[in-house]
Amino acid sequence: MREKVKVVDVTARDGLQNEPNPVSTRDKLALIEKLVQAGVSEIQATSFVHPKWVPQMADAEEVAAGLSRFSGVTFSALVPNLKGYERALAAGIRHMEFVIAASETFNRKNLNRSMAESLQLLEQTTRMAERDGVVLRVGFSTCFHCPFEGTISGAAVVNAARAARQIAPWRIAICDTDGMAFPNQVKEKLGLLQSELKMKPEEIILHFHDTYGRGLANTLAGLEAGVREFDSCTAGLGGCPYCPGASGNLATEDLVDFLEGMGYDTGIDMEKLLDAAEFACHFSSRPYQGHLLRARRPGACSAAPVVSAQL
């Protein structure tokens, strides 16, 4: 029996949020359908942020309304504040990610508030989630490097995670927002979370960007530390509007191929996943960022991106 590793695909949210050309609700749902057909069982479908700040997520309610056609899948959404939580709840979302940064400067630029203020909001959101039966995970961005502050220390990550876990023992996503992490840093920070906060590996999710091609090496470091859940985006889409220089996430197809090759079971059909990645390429303003699709289907993403018509 092969050990299972969970892959959470975040293309429909993180993958598209930074794209300059509008992607229609219909095409977002078509992409999600292809992911479901491939066997992806956890999908972050959208973000309930103000459309002024992230125009690509202006149709969050419409996307959420279309998710009811899919069964056997856990859908989540990112919520940055109480308004976002309330919108997501009203739209039927019961799994949410509350985002904070491990860097004070990035927290202010990304969320327009201090880390202390974000933690106060997390406490309020936690009370509402407990009341409403909502499952939260707390995503910490810039856990390895901040484009404004530089290298982030292990102590800073531990202190941020400790503050969040004192509010409630939510699971935590450790994010390499600008793709600057190295495997030794991954091992160091995971070791500190486990030794100082007594966190179990199953309480941690890893979210790697692949800006410098280190995503799979960092995944291996995470696996060796016991983590068995990873975020990724088909076709290596992604990036953060408030993180200069950040390129795409680790490509889901590259991650799944790597995990399966290492002997783990993801439950994902590779050919169908490649169909989803090829479709996702149409919405990217950049050349294909992954590796496997280009190798397995030469020319699949060499054409100019197709701009989706907004419904």
Side-chain angles (χ1 to χ4, degrees):
M1 182 71 69
R2 293 189 298 160
E3 186 176 2
K4 290 188 176 295
V5 173
K6 185 178 294 183
V7 173
V8 182
D9 189 274
V10 299
T11 314
R13 194 279 299 177
D14 195 2
L16 297 179
Q17 69 177 2
N18 209 33
E19 287 299 324
N21 298 318
V23 180
S24 72
T25 304
R26 178 178 57 194
D27 281 342
K28 290 176 183 177
L29 290 170
L31 173 60
I32 289 170
E33 183 173 14
K34 289 180 179 295
L35 292 168
V36 173
Q37 290 172 345
V40 180
S41 61
E42 293 220 11
I43 297 172
Q44 192 169 95
T46 190
S47 176
F48 287 84
V49 298
H50 197 292
K52 175 182 177 182
W53 305 117
V54 188
Q56 195 70 260
M57 298 292 109
D59 62 346
E61 278 82 3
E62 289 78 8
V63 169
L67 300 179
S68 60
R69 75 179 75 166
F70 308 113
S71 60
V73 181
T74 299
F75 289 106
S76 63
L78 185 143
V79 295
N81 51 36
L82 296 180
K83 178 65 174 178
Y85 174 90
E86 292 166 351
R87 287 176 59 202
L89 185 71
I93 301 294
R94 293 298 180 270
H95 289 78
M96 305 182 198
E97 177 170 4
F98 187 93
V99 62
I100 311 177
S103 151
E104 181 71 38
T105 305
F106 191 79
N107 205 80
R108 290 183 181 277
K109 289 184 177 290
N110 190 39
L111 299 167
N112 198 32
R113 66 178 77 101
S114 68
M115 290 175 65
E117 291 169 328
S118 282
L119 288 166
Q120 290 175 350
L121 271 178
L122 174 61
E123 185 166 11
Q124 292 175 275
T125 305
T126 292
R127 302 290 85 83
M128 296 168 70
E130 291 171 341
R131 177 196 69 194
D132 300 325
V134 167
V135 177
L136 290 182
R137 82 174 199 181
V138 183
F140 281 98
S141 56
T142 59
C143 284
F144 301 93
H145 184 272
C146 170
F148 310 104
E149 295 184 14
T151 300
I152 301 301
S153 69
V157 175
V158 167
N159 289 339
R162 178 184 288 112
R165 299 270 294 179
Q166 287 173 341
I167 293 169
W170 301 119
R171 296 168 71 239
I172 286 176
I174 300 300
C175 305
D176 180 23
T177 307
D178 56 4
M180 295 281 281
F182 287 95
N184 63 318
Q185 296 170 336
V186 174
K187 290 182 179 180
E188 174 210 8
K189 288 181 170 63
L190 292 177
L192 288 171
L193 291 172
Q194 293 174 26
S195 64
E196 297 196 22
L197 300 187
K198 308 304 179 187
M199 291 187 69
K200 301 175 182 177
E202 58 266 28
E203 296 176 315
I204 301 170
I205 306 104
L206 288 171
H207 179 117
F208 293 127
H209 285 233
D210 207 28
T211 310
Y212 299 99
R214 298 195 285 263
L216 291 179
N218 290 332
T219 296
L220 180 59
L223 289 169
E224 291 175 345
V227 175
R228 295 294 183 267
E229 185 168 342
F230 300 86
D231 290 351
S232 58
C233 281
T234 50
L237 269 66
C240 176
Y242 302 99
C243 187
S247 69
N249 292 47
L250 177 59
T252 303
E253 60 273 18
D254 290 351
L255 174 62
V256 170
D257 182 60
F258 179 78
L259 292 170
E260 293 282 345
M262 292 287 292
Y264 296 99
D265 178 19
T266 64
I268 295 173
D269 183 293
M270 179 54 72
E271 289 305 315
K272 292 181 179 179
L273 181 61
L274 289 175
D275 290 341
E278 189 169 350
F279 185 70
C281 283
H282 296 160
F283 312 120
S284 177
S285 58
R286 298 172 291 133
Y288 175 63
Q289 300 294 299
H291 300 281
L292 188 68
L293 182 60
R294 183 182 293 114
R296 294 276 289 272
R297 299 183 182 181
C301 290
S302 60
V306 176
V307 179
S308 172
Q310 186 75 7
L311 293 179

